[in-house]
Amino acid sequence: MNSYQHVPRHLLAIDCIIFGFDGEDLKGLFIKRKLEPQKGNLSLMGGFVAETESVDAAAERVLFELTGLKDVYMEQLHCYGELERDSLSRVVSIAYFALIKVSNYNDEILKEHDAVWISLKEIPELIFDHNKMLEDAKERLRQKVANHPIGFELLPNKFTLRQLQTLYEAIYETPLDKRNFTRKIFSLDIIKNTGEKERTTSRKGSFYFVFEEEKYKHLEKEGLKFI
Amino acid sequence: MNSYQHVPRHLLAIDCIIFGFDGEDLKGLFIKRKLEPQKGNLSLMGGFVAETESVDAAAERVLFELTGLKDVYMEQLHCYGELERDSLSRVVSIAYFALIKVSNYNDEILKEHDAVWISLKEIPELIFDHNKMLEDAKERLRQKVANHPIGFELLPNKFTLRQLQTLYEAIYETPLDKRNFTRKIFSLDIIKNTGEKERTTSRKGSFYFVFEEEKYKHLEKEGLKFI
DNA sequence: ACAAAAGTGTTGTCTGTACACCCATGC
DNA sequence: GCATGGGTGTACAGACAACACTTTTGT
């Protein structure tokens, strides 16, 4: 006997805010919606939660469908449950955000899904409450990044100090002091100079760094004052 | 025509972590569950989301049913969506936490619902994943309180510095320095001395303070470094 | 030789923290 | 007059913020 048998059931969706960084701008990945209503309009990548998958698994599936990526940094953002948020029917949506390395991203899949990277400085109108979701995700990313070294999830495996700083400037939408930033990063002791130099953006060349897994994992757990 | 017609539907529950402070300990409000499965075991207050109410409204309703309180500080915590979290059936639950002034709480309702206040130091085993929810809520409360002056939501309208400090000590589970704490609070300029004294706990008596709405609202929006 | 980005120290200010005594009062 | 909790100041240390010049090297 099932004491839940007269309880109403709901459509449960996932929407996924996918952040990427191209070395200059922080971007989001959006698709042209394939379903009515609002078919063809810009939207976050989404899908419905199936009967036999957990909500987290559904979010991972949705991300995989659009990016082909697994084992990506992903975090639940918020559950959006207003009655009229989807104009067709009552749908409760659980939003997640993901941080991906654009360098790992497969352009084929992008075309397949009619997906586009858009700079967060130039976000157009999205369907339903997706602009709100994106704003919430940006705010959450800022908070998280201040206390956890997750910024590296957005960078290629080796990166220059300049790229790292530009990323943080993009996230906080504010310029940072180069010397203070460098000192701060070094004091955390989580990146290592590879000795190799990047040669395209300056005559002198700038060192590539990699981050060190063990210290990174430790800080990720403990938290820290990052900026 | 409804393009969602073949999409599976889910049971959607609310669980509510209700925090209160009695002047000494931080406590949670729990009930003896009235439904199978696990009827009679300790549980967070919960309920199902109805077809015609938003998720936030459902959470407010659940809180009201157990406390008779409205316009209470309440925040969405997390959506719990593992497949087997409820042993009877697949139920996705959205957890909220609320901060209430125990002095406003009506004891009648407590008996009606077989509800009990339990110190967070002595939490027994709860049903399903409710222990996890509670831990997450405690962690979130700590984070939130560090940046927002929401601690006042747990105190009576007038309170002594001692009570305020004890509250923060309970939340952080650590003793704080009285002089530094006092200075910090005063520097925020959000509480006002009423001139009235509390006389029961000391010969000298300690001043009652109230918090000042306008500055509080401003800080709540802006955020701050509280502790 | 020059242009363009990389790399690197010092100082003052602020914030946090540790710490101990006198005060007012009811009994 | 004494026991009890209430209320208050100072000094040191660490973190943060502001600030500009030299280095390297491809052209």
Side-chain angles (χ1 to χ4, degrees), chain B residues 5 12 17 24 41 43 46 56 59 79 87 94 105 109 141 213:
Chain B
Q5 59 191 322
L12 207 50
I17 296 104
E24 199 161 321
N41 289 347
S43 155
D56 284 350
C79 171
S87 52
I94 301 149
Y105 190 78
I109 307 183
L141 177 60
E213 289 282 356

Side-chain angles (χ1 to χ4, degrees), chain B residues 167-178:
Chain B
L167 169 61
Y168 277 82
E169 288 175 337
I171 293 173
Y172 285 109
E173 295 175 2
T174 184
L176 300 171
D177 181 89
K178 182 169 54 158

Side-chain angles (χ1 to χ4, degrees), chain A residues 10-14 47-49 55 91-94, chain B residues 7-8 10 12 92:
Chain A
H10 300 266
L11 292 170
L12 208 50
I14 298 290
F48 287 98
V49 177
V55 173
V91 179
V92 171
S93 176
I94 301 148
Chain B
V7 177
H10 300 267
L12 207 50
V92 171

Side-chain angles (χ1 to χ4, degrees), chain A residues 3-4 7-11 33 36-37 48-55 76 78-79 81 83 86 90 92 94, chain B residues 3-4 7-11 33 36-37 48-55 76 78-79 81 83 86 90 94:
Chain A
S3 44
Y4 303 154
V7 177
R9 290 169 178 265
H10 300 266
L11 292 170
R33 182 170 161 98
E36 291 294 352
F48 287 98
V49 177
E51 272 164 299
T52 56
E53 69 184 349
S54 72
V55 173
Q76 192 188 108
H78 193 79
C79 170
L83 282 175
D86 183 316
R90 200 270 165 92
V92 171
I94 301 148
Chain B
S3 43
Y4 303 155
V7 177
R9 290 169 176 264
H10 300 267
L11 292 169
R33 181 170 162 97
E36 291 296 348
F48 287 98
V49 178
E51 274 165 297
T52 56
E53 68 183 351
S54 71
V55 173
Q76 193 188 107
H78 193 77
C79 171
L83 282 175
D86 184 316
R90 200 271 165 91
I94 301 149

Side-chain angles (χ1 to χ4, degrees), chain A residues 12 55 69 85 133 189 195 202 208 217:
Chain A
L12 208 50
V55 173
L69 298 176
R85 48 171 301 283
M133 289 180 182
D189 198 27
S202 81
Y208 277 123
K217 291 292 179 202

Side-chain angles (χ1 to χ4, degrees), chain A:
Chain A
M1 104 128 228
N2 184 331
S3 44
Y4 303 154
Q5 58 189 325
H6 298 299
V7 177
R9 290 169 178 265
H10 300 266
L11 292 170
L12 208 50
I14 298 290
D15 284 298
C16 195
I17 296 103
I18 303 170
F19 290 115
F21 179 67
D22 64 1
E24 201 163 317
D25 269 354
L26 197 56
K27 299 191 167 187
L29 190 53
F30 302 93
I31 60 165
K32 297 212 180 83
R33 182 170 161 98
K34 288 180 199 150
L35 291 179
E36 291 294 352
Q38 300 223 31
K39 189 168 168 176
N41 290 345
L42 274 175
S43 155
L44 293 168
M45 182 67 183
F48 287 98
V49 177
E51 272 164 299
T52 56
E53 69 184 349
S54 72
V55 173
D56 284 351
E60 282 163 24
R61 173 176 56 76
V62 165
L63 180 77
F64 181 75
E65 284 169 8
L66 183 57
T67 65
L69 298 176
K70 289 186 176 181
D71 295 322
V72 160
Y73 184 89
M74 201 167 186
E75 191 178 317
Q76 192 188 108
L77 177 63
H78 193 79
C79 170
Y80 295 82
E82 291 305 309
L83 282 175
E84 305 292 340
R85 48 171 301 283
D86 183 316
S87 51
L88 177 59
S89 174
R90 200 270 165 92
V91 179
V92 171
S93 176
I94 301 148
Y96 282 73
F97 73 92
L99 306 182
I100 75 172
K101 297 180 199 295
V102 174
S103 51
N104 292 356
Y105 190 76
N106 178 348
D107 274 350
E108 298 298 312
I109 307 183
L110 206 129
K111 281 175 208 153
E112 262 177 52
H113 285 82
D114 237 340
V116 281
W117 285 104
I118 303 178
S119 163
L120 297 189
K121 291 176 190 163
E122 300 159 354
I123 298 298
E125 200 186 327
L126 307 170
I127 66 163
F128 304 158
D129 50 0
H130 289 196
N131 286 93
K132 165 78 171 140
M133 289 180 182
L134 178 62
E135 286 306 310
D136 290 348
K138 281 166 66 178
E139 181 53 34
R140 183 78 146 265
L141 177 61
R142 269 192 281 267
Q143 283 175 18
K144 193 81 184 187
V145 137
N147 298 301
H148 302 268
I150 58 171
F152 299 104
E153 305 285 348
L154 288 160
L155 290 168
N157 289 334
K158 56 185 188 181
F159 50 86
T160 64
L161 286 176
R162 180 76 222 160
Q163 292 173 316
L164 185 58
Q165 183 176 339
T166 303
L167 169 62
Y168 276 83
E169 288 175 337
I171 293 174
Y172 283 109
E173 296 175 359
T174 183
L176 299 171
D177 180 271
K178 184 167 55 157
R179 280 171 289 190
N180 293 339
F181 183 78
T182 308
R183 180 176 25 245
K184 183 75 192 184
I185 296 294
F186 284 156
S187 78
L188 295 175
D189 198 27
I190 47 173
I191 65 174
K192 195 173 65 185
N193 194 324
T194 60
E196 190 187 350
K197 279 197 168 186
E198 191 277 342
R199 290 272 170 202
T200 64
T201 56
S202 81
R203 316 261 191 244
K204 185 176 177 178
S206 53
F207 285 110
Y208 277 123
F209 290 80
V210 292
F211 68 91
E212 301 195 89
E213 289 282 355
E214 331 76 54
K215 287 168 182 166
Y216 171 85
K217 291 292 179 202
H218 179 251
L219 282 177
E220 200 181 27
K221 215 176 287 177
E222 293 298 307
L224 70 151
K225 189 129 196 310
F226 202 82
I227 283 197

